């Protein structure tokens, strides 16, 4: 069973820790950031099967919840939460200050937040790498395509013309290169997030001298967060 921890006073500022069993030495820590186009109706329940599976493979799994559009999130609250939630790992007695390798694993909108988190300035808990699962890694293009009924504008609370500074600060494709390797996985049959967003990010990252790799994996948008599938095996 996961252990709950909080990193703030808001009801959505919490996470769940799942540890390897039988006294196994952990391989490292994976911070799971769920998707749902940043909307409040989607929660960290999406990450619980992943956390259980990763713990079974020897990882400490940190399934992170955060404020989302509709329950106090958006710009800048969601970003503050992601940063605070990751940095809270430094103070958790369960981890005894030794997180080992720390990898962020984010799906869809969570992939956007995971890649964004890699570029935080002077974090208490820096990331060693990021795995994006069909991440929304080019916000402006997502806005142009009108993905999920304007989810990006709804999330940031302004159009690119009304709030250019927040779009600049929030968009991973404009913050390349990330200081750590970014592995960009995308479902070969994904129709929810177009693969061109992944292609745009990896192209920009490589042009800026970053370490990034795009890999198409089996399945649609959700197979990659479903343990037991070929897509999840690739993750």
């Amino acid at each position: 069973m996961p252990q709950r921890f909080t990193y703030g006073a808001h009801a959505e500022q919490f996470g769940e820790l799942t540890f390897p069993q039988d006294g196994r030495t952990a391989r490292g820590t994976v911070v799971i950031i769920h998707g749902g186009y940043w909307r409040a109706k989607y929660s960290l329940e999406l990450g619980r099967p992943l956390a259980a599976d990763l713990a079974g493979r020897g990882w400490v799994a940190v399934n992170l919840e955060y404020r989302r559009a509709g329950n106090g999130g958006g710009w800048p609250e969601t970003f503050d939460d992601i940063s605070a939630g990751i940095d809270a790992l430094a103070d958790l007695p369960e981890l005894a200050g030794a997180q080992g390798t720390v990898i962020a694993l984010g799906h869809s909108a969570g992939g956007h937040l995971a890649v964004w988190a890699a570029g935080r300035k002077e974090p208490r808990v820096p990331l060693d790498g990021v795995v994006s699962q069909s991440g929304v890694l080019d916000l402006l293009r997502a806005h142009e395509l009108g993905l999920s009924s304007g989810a990006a504008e709804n999330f940031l609370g302004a159009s690119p013309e009304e709030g250019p500074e927040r779009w600049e600060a929030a968009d991973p494709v404009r913050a390349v290169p990330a200081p750590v390797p970014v592995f960009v996985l995308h479902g070969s049959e994904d129709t929810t997030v177009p693969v061109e967003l992944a292609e745009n990010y990896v192209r920009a990252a490589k042009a800026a001298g970053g370490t990034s790799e795009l890999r198409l994996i089996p399945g649609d948008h959700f197979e990659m967060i479903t343990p037991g599938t070929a897509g999840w095996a690739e993750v």
Side-chain angles (χ1 to χ4, degrees):
M1 293 295 293
Q3 302 177 27
R4 182 181 172 117
F5 69 94
T6 61
Y7 61 87
H10 194 279
E12 301 297 316
Q13 292 175 315
F14 73 96
E16 296 177 343
L17 297 169
T18 308
F19 291 93
Q21 298 299 303
D22 303 323
R24 296 170 61 184
T25 299
R27 301 169 63 182
T29 300
V30 179
V31 180
I32 299 166
I33 306 176
H34 71 82
Y37 272 117
W38 309 282
R39 292 190 170 103
K41 66 179 180 178
Y42 301 99
S43 76
L44 89 175
E45 289 185 8
L46 292 168
R48 284 176 177 157
L50 284 60
D53 187 90
L54 288 167
R57 298 171 186 265
W59 296 90
V60 176
V62 181
N63 190 18
L64 197 62
E65 191 57 281
Y66 53 93
R67 289 174 288 178
R68 305 169 303 287
N71 65 1
W75 176 268
E77 290 83 6
T78 296
F79 300 89
D80 293 341
D81 284 2
I82 296 300
S83 185
I86 295 173
D87 283 346
L89 302 184
D91 298 320
L92 294 178
E94 297 90 341
L95 296 179
Q99 301 88 28
T101 298
V102 181
I103 298 170
L105 172 66
H107 175 242
S108 194
H112 156 259
L113 294 169
V115 176
W116 171 87
R120 295 174 299 145
K121 306 302 181 185
E122 300 182 356
R124 294 185 65 205
V125 178
L127 298 176
D128 296 296
V130 177
V131 178
S132 168
Q133 303 164 282
S134 284
V136 186
L137 304 184
D138 184 341
L139 291 186
L140 187 59
R141 185 57 179 152
H143 172 70
E144 292 170 348
L145 293 171
L147 296 185
S148 190
S149 302
E153 182 172 340
N154 177 65
F155 171 53
L156 293 178
S159 70
E161 295 75 26
E162 294 166 337
E165 298 85 0
R166 64 183 66 181
W167 282 79
E168 179 77 23
D171 202 343
V173 78
R174 300 197 225 180
V176 293
V180 301
V182 178
F183 298 93
V184 179
L185 309 182
H186 208 94
S188 60
E189 300 172 32
D190 194 329
T191 59
T192 302
V193 175
V195 70
E196 70 172 279
L197 274 63
E199 295 169 339
N200 292 349
Y201 177 83
V202 172
R203 186 183 307 113
K206 288 183 175 180
T211 301
S212 188
E213 172 188 338
L214 172 61
R215 184 181 303 176
L216 294 180
I217 63 174
D220 59 14
H221 193 63
F222 298 101
E223 181 167 329
M224 65 184 70
I225 59 169
T226 306
T229 64
W232 173 247
E234 289 292 322
V235 175

